[in-house]
Amino acid sequence: MNNKVKLKQSMPYIVLVTVILAVLVLFSFGNNKINTLKYNELLEELGKGNVTEITTSEHQGDGVYYITGKLKDYKRNEYFKVNAPNSTDTITTLKAYQQTHEFSWNVEKNPENSSWLLILVNVVPILIIVGGTIFLFTKLSGSNKSSMDFGRSRAKLSEDGGKIRFKDVAGLEEEKEEVAELIDFLKNPKKFQKLGARIPKGVLLVGPPGTGKTLLAKAVAGEANVPFYYISGSDFVELFVGVGASRVRDMFKQAKHSAPCLIFIDEIDAVGRQRGTGLGGGHDEREQTLNQLLTEMDGFGANEGIIIIAATNRPDVLDPALLRPGRFDRQVTVSLPDQKERLAILQVHGRDKVFASTVNLENISKRTPGFSGADLENLLNEAALLAVRRNKSAIGMSEIDEATDRVLMGPAKTTRQITEKEKRLVSIHEAGHAVVGLKLEDANDVHKITIIPRGIAGGYTMMLPKEEKMAVTTKNELTAQIVGLLGGRVAEELFLKEITTGASDDFKKATKIARAMVTEYGMSDLGPVQLEERSEGVFLGRDYNKSKNFSDAVALEIDQEVRKIINECYKQTTKILKENEKLVYLISDTLMERETITKEEIEELVETGKISEGTPEEELKKLKEQAKELGIKGYTKMSKEELEEAIENSTEK
């Protein structure tokens, strides 16, 4: 922090101290006590010898001679003043008394100076106090710079929208085409007006968190050559009712002066929630803000040339009036990326990363279904951090694998002490999941099994779909998911003759799938009837008194159907594991030895019954590749034992 910044920050306190000192000075000067004496009284006091000092002036006014002074019994700030006759007799009398009674006599040669001093003492401190108060009121009143501008818009203006362009937004090709039309209209409106087309007044970007809604809006700002206002929905709502509505009016007022322009409202659900919800009624401030926003977007006023882009991951909570044509005419769904889009995202975020030759971004994209753009960026960042921590010169596949596990499950608990019994329990449990995945036709592929604890899990089996699907799932695939989830508990019961708490999360997921099959998807004996809607409890007022779509008798049937599906899947899981008992023990024993096995090793284990160590030449080659990734110098001339020791030392560091 430089001296100028320090001085600027301390300036209000300097002014405060100055004001306090000025008040003290004014108080001390203004507290003097002045007694008025007659000329005869002054002569009496002179005769008694009570006068200690007098001050006279050479200036003589209209028949008056001004005399001030002090008596013996006066206090420090007490004085007297006398208006004496303006004659030579007055001076002669004073001189005579001075000869008989000693007292000090001062003569003011320039009384005008005393007048200026009087003004300086009495007026300047007042000016300092008033000016200092105004300064402090301005500087110390908070970030708003004034106590009266809380009704002003919080929208920030960006002339060029920042540095992000469409080339920085990987994937989302259809979404970019939708919003690119807005940019084209702002640049060339006549092309649209020629055919009578009206550009959408508002575009709502909808999608899960981390899919790139805000990034897409920033890219629109970067591509557009018009003023761009951006604000968060929470910036409108305040404690005082009416402030949010005032900010909305001010935002549109500013935008009208800059039209054509764009306004981006991030997390619009903070202000656009459905009105009249909640047990105690609505939220007056938020509802007034929403009403003003609705009026400004499509009310009596004209907002030509103002286009609003808003983003939310909760479109179900928005007020219907906000979503109608004329306000948000168009909704653009920003979905989770598919395999090609994930590859493009990895390439964008991998521009400034240094990868080893063994890293294949396409393979990573295939292994990360369900990852959002933010997840992929975090994955590569975690891998880079691990590479730095291990003193490596490039990011290798070991860092990518570890980063993937960290993103999904959390960091590995390598220091946790695990007993042999607990290790066997976890290995049998995970082997049960894996065998079901290997032997059931509609189950997901088994990509990795580990018994290293991560997060709250003692181990886990990574199972990914054979083919990536975006929306539709069959009944057999849902059933296979339940069978796979039950594999851990069934394996414990069959091969350990006891059950553990490790399957609690599996039961939760299996029950959720089974209930959705009965109440949402119509995949039970109750028929193709939707009995429940997927709800997240958005508003207590909306769900608290919601009428059920079924009777108590149907509720019993729903529970019976859910239990029936779970029981049938449990029997199927038991049959599969009994038929493949040797494979369960084989995978369990391998996990006890290796702790982690990959897809290729699992396939080899199923085919040959063991995992080959490879020829000495292949092992040496693998060690050299690993040493190269770790940046070990002179690895080409090392023996196998030397390489193993160097790799171990480097990993420990």
Side-chain angles (χ1 to χ4, degrees), residues 198-263:
R198 179 184 63 82
I199 200 68
K201 291 185 177 180
V203 175
L204 184 65
L205 303 179
V206 178
T211 50
K213 300 182 295 295
T214 303
L215 185 67
L216 184 61
K218 290 180 179 178
V220 173
E223 296 288 342
N225 292 321
V226 295
F228 180 80
Y229 294 89
Y230 55 97
I231 190 172
S232 171
S234 60
D235 287 333
F236 291 110
V237 183
E238 281 287 354
L239 173 66
F240 305 105
V241 177
V243 173
S246 175
R247 289 177 179 174
V248 171
R249 288 191 295 270
D250 190 64
M251 180 179 70
F252 277 88
K253 181 180 178 181
Q254 293 179 28
K256 287 176 184 177
H257 294 308
S258 306
C261 66
L262 289 171
I263 297 176

Side-chain angles (χ1 to χ4, degrees), residues 518 526 531 549-561:
V518 175
L526 293 181
L531 300 171
N549 295 328
F550 48 84
S551 63
D552 292 340
V554 175
L556 177 62
E557 292 184 34
I558 291 173
D559 294 339
Q560 291 173 343
E561 287 295 322

